């Protein structure tokens, strides 16, 4: 059994850095306990590789003041106080944030992680609450993983099932707490960060409601535009919607439209040669394809590869004998963006008329659905 996990993609919706010139000032003041007088605090872009934007010298009393400007619509920046300790700053302009930090990632003597608090805005107030929820859940999951390992060794499947249920209950409690805070957050940057705790597939209405609120109250925010666009794309590929057309080239360079498979039930599969979970699932998909291909079932695989050689090699090695297309643009794949794909494997099951009838079915769930729709007489 795989380890339980709780994953929050820290700035999935907040990775945007506006191209416009900064227009709104902000101030960060603070004290770093372990910082040496004369050393520097750095303000960095939330990007890889790290890019320094500004710096401030630490005074004799271990304090610092940093003044800068933020792009219209707000940005997420990173404050590097040294000693391996960094913290996110959610900035919309006009605020004065106060930082109190230890100035180290881990205390060599005590083994304790360094602590830091950032106050002075609603964004940071709620970010602190969300971070506490995440940290608490991560600690609980770490304990559950140890219990799962012990139960697995004893072949105690009953206990494993109990732990899984405890995890699912706790995860839903976190989601419910975040959803309860969203109305209070309004159309702030932190509300977008909060969406990382919520699965758009199971809680689409929450995303839709926030997108509508931004559209009404704060439509010019670049981050809001990204959310509104994403929600619109997801609406277009919900169960019951007509699957948007895709026409990418196959391995020979010949364009193959998705619509060319009309009249069959089609599994639209987003994958890549570099995707471990995709490759692990491939034997199951091969088995199901061989079982149902003569009963009106087809597969249209869209690869998020960048290398044609790696893509075609994976097709051969995994014995994937169905339709394969790609524009070799990785996550910038036009089809992936059109379908709102942000993680793979991702699948959409289409009926004979090209309508989406199910999403993200894998393993037994996919086989059960295929058995249901491809039974005699369908």
């Amino acid at each position: 059994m795989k380890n339980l996990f709780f994953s929050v993609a820290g700035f999935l919706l907040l990775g945007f850095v506006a191209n416009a010139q900064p227009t709104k000032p902000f101030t960060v003041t603070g004290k770093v306990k372990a910082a040496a007088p004369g050393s520097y605090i750095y303000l960095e872009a939330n990007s890889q590789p790290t890019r320094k934007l500004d710096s401030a010298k630490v005074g004799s009393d271990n304090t610092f003041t940093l003044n800068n400007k933020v792009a219209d619509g707000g940005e997420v920046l990173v404050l590097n106080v040294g000693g391996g300790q960094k913290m996110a700053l959610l900035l919309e302009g006009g605020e004065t944030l106060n930082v109190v930090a230890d100035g180290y990632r881990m205390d060599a003597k005590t083994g304790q992680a360094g602590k830091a608090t950032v106050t002075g805005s609603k964004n940071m107030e709620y970010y602190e609450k969300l971070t506490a929820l995440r940290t608490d859940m991560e600690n609980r999951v770490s304990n559950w993983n140890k219990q799962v390992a012990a139960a697995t060794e004893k072949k105690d499947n009953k206990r494993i099932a109990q732990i899984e249920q405890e995890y699912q209950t706790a995860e839903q409690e976190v989601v419910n707490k975040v959803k309860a805070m969203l109305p209070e957050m309004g159309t702030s940057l932190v509300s977008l960060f909060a969406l990382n705790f919520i699965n758009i597939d199971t809680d689409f209405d929450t995303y839709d409601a926030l997108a509508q609120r931004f559209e009404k109250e704060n439509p010019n925010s670049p981050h809001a535009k990204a959310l509104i666009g994403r929600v619109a794309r997801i609406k277009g590929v919900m169960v019951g919607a007509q699957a948007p057309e895709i026409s990418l080239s196959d391995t020979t360079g010949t364009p193959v439209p998705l619509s060319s498979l009309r009249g069959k039930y089609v599994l639209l599969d987003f994958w890549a040669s570099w995707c471990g979970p995709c490759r692990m699932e491939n034997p199951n998909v091969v088995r199901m394809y061989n079982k149902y291909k003569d009963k009106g079932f087809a597969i249209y695989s869209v690869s998020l590869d960048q290398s044609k050689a790696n893509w075609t090699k994976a097709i051969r090695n995994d014995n994937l004998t169905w339709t394969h297309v790609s524009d070799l643009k990785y996550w910038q794949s036009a089809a992936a963006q059109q379908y709102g794909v942000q993680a793979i494997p991702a699948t959409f099951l289409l009926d004979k008329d090209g309508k989406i009838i199910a999403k993200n079915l894998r393993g037994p769930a996919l086989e059960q659905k295929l058995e249901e729709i491809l039974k005699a007489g369908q």
Side-chain angles (χ1 to χ4, degrees), residues 230-266:
R230 184 183 180 199
V231 166
R233 287 193 297 274
I234 294 296
K235 278 184 177 179
V237 294
M238 293 183 73
V239 171
Q242 189 73 27
E245 178 67 292
I246 299 173
S247 186
L248 297 178
S249 296
D250 64 13
T251 57
T252 69
T254 304
V256 182
L258 174 61
S259 58
S260 66
L261 298 176
R262 288 280 169 82
K264 296 183 178 183
Y265 287 95
V266 179

Side-chain angles (χ1 to χ4, degrees), residues 18-54:
N19 290 323
Q21 291 298 314
T23 57
K24 295 182 180 179
F26 67 87
T27 298
V28 182
T29 64
K31 184 170 185 176
V32 184
K33 298 175 185 177
S39 61
Y40 283 86
I41 305 298
Y42 294 99
L43 185 69
E44 301 173 348
N46 176 38
S47 62
Q48 292 295 334
T50 298
R51 181 166 55 90
K52 290 182 172 61
L53 303 175
D54 200 356

